[in-house]
Amino acid sequence: MPDLCRIPVNGIEVNVAVAGSGPDALLLHGFPHTWELWSHVMADLSDRYRVIAPDLRGFGASTPARTGYDAMTLAEDARALLQALGVRSAAVVGIDAGTPPAFLLAMRHPKLVRQLVVMEALVGHLPGAEDFLAGGPPWWFGFHSVPGFAETVLEGNETAYIDWFLNEGTLGSGLPTQARDAFVAAYTGREALRCAFSYYRALPESATQIEETVAARRLTMPTMAIGSHPVGTALERQLRPIADDLTGHLLEDCGHIIPLHRPDALLGLLRPFLAGHQSEQTLVPRRTGA
């Protein structure tokens, strides 16, 4: 089991799990997850890396802040956490809501991020995701975006709601009981729901931050974009024009919650990439163009 601690950063306290020793790797989860999304990944990587997995602002046991759910503030949370832990350089891995802050952290602090891995998310309104968005964004983006509404509707029905996302995110197979129960508990109660939905309410601000950053900077470190169902290759297509060294992979027969649905397939990509080598595992034909 990793060590759990609370660290003051950027005006809040972050609950963080830390395991192992060696080069640092920061793992940023999404919705509706906590640091426990990475439990299998941490157990595997911790014999070679110091793995750092926080509960993001407002999630899990971190401070239920009133504000600060835009991607730039979340990136600053991550930077301050690494600084507090004495980290000078880290591999940064983000999924879902953890991807935009991981992206901005890499763009704005390239000396701090030696490698970037992002998966199953979009970065703002950057070109490349038109096919994915052809029918409009997923339904819950609009539902979550109205201040005060979704939490009023869902309070008292959190278990069924979170279970829907967990089952959809594993193509119907569901999660191990421990992870499922931890996620349901973390998203139960009006305040927990408010924090979670604040990420969606900040999406327009986050998109503007991303566009302004991309206008002036590029991704210069080795970057890997991993897709599954439903995002697929949309994230890779967004990053291709702005990344100097991008590898793309698509995991077939894998749901959105990659680290718990197909952890071994994910580790088969992460291990060689973090070690500085391209993965030799071919899951789909490699794409070389935009």
Side-chain angles (χ1 to χ4, degrees):
M1 284 292 293
D3 295 324
L4 294 175
C5 57
R6 294 180 65 82
I7 298 180
V9 297
N10 202 19
I12 62 170
E13 285 192 347
V14 171
N15 180 60
V16 58
V18 181
S21 61
D24 292 293
L26 176 69
L27 312 180
L28 303 179
H29 67 83
F31 168 87
H33 320 135
T34 66
W35 73 265
E36 292 185 69
L37 173 76
W38 304 108
S39 55
H40 191 115
V41 172
M42 293 184 77
D44 183 273
L45 294 181
S46 59
D47 63 342
R48 284 152 286 178
Y49 301 92
R50 180 169 70 152
V51 188
I52 302 163
D55 285 337
L56 298 184
R57 172 182 292 247
F59 286 150
S62 290
T63 300
R66 297 303 306 176
T67 60
Y69 294 95
D70 59 281
M72 193 75 77
T73 300
L74 296 165
E76 179 58 22
D77 288 350
R79 187 205 63 78
L81 173 62
L82 293 177
Q83 182 180 45
L85 292 172
V87 176
R88 300 184 63 181
S89 175
V92 176
V93 181
I95 187 171
D96 190 74
T99 285
F103 171 78
L104 286 181
L105 180 67
M107 291 284 280
R108 299 182 67 84
H109 301 282
K111 292 182 179 179
L112 182 60
V113 181
R114 68 175 181 272
Q115 294 154 306
L116 176 68
V117 180
V118 285
M119 58 189 105
E120 276 299 287
L122 301 182
V123 281
H125 302 311
L126 298 185
E130 292 81 8
D131 289 349
F132 176 72
L133 295 172
W139 62 265
W140 56 89
F141 277 57
F143 178 51
H144 293 171
S145 68
V146 182
F149 178 62
E151 50 266 53
T152 299
V153 172
L154 293 173
E155 189 174 14
N157 297 293
E158 295 94 337
T159 298
Y161 193 66
I162 298 305
D163 273 343
W164 186 88
F165 285 97
L166 301 182
N167 288 325
E168 285 290 310
T170 55
L171 304 183
S173 63
L175 295 182
T177 299
Q178 181 177 345
R180 180 263 186 189
D181 290 350
F183 295 161
V184 168
Y187 291 84
T188 294
R190 188 180 185 88
E191 185 70 348
L193 293 172
R194 177 195 64 79
C195 292
F197 302 151
S198 292
Y199 280 76
Y200 294 87
R201 294 161 192 170
L203 284 175
E205 183 180 2
S206 296
T208 298
Q209 294 166 347
I210 289 166
E211 290 173 3
E212 291 174 348
T213 300
V214 167
R217 306 166 190 258
R218 292 182 59 82
L219 281 175
T220 56
M221 69 288 299
T223 300
M224 181 162 63
I226 303 173
S228 58
H229 176 81
V231 178
T233 60
L235 176 58
E236 180 191 349
R237 294 197 302 270
Q238 284 188 307
L239 297 181
R240 182 67 62 187
I242 60 171
D244 292 342
D245 182 0
L246 177 65
T247 302
H249 292 281
L250 177 65
L251 291 172
E252 303 283 6
D253 300 319
C254 181
H256 180 68
I257 311 176
I258 297 173
L260 287 175
H261 188 207
R262 292 193 62 198
D264 292 336
L266 175 58
L267 286 163
L269 300 176
L270 281 179
R271 284 191 297 258
F273 183 79
L274 296 183
H277 304 288
Q278 297 291 339
S279 174
E280 296 180 357
Q281 179 182 7
T282 303
L283 298 165
V284 294
R286 176 73 180 280
R287 296 170 297 282
T288 57

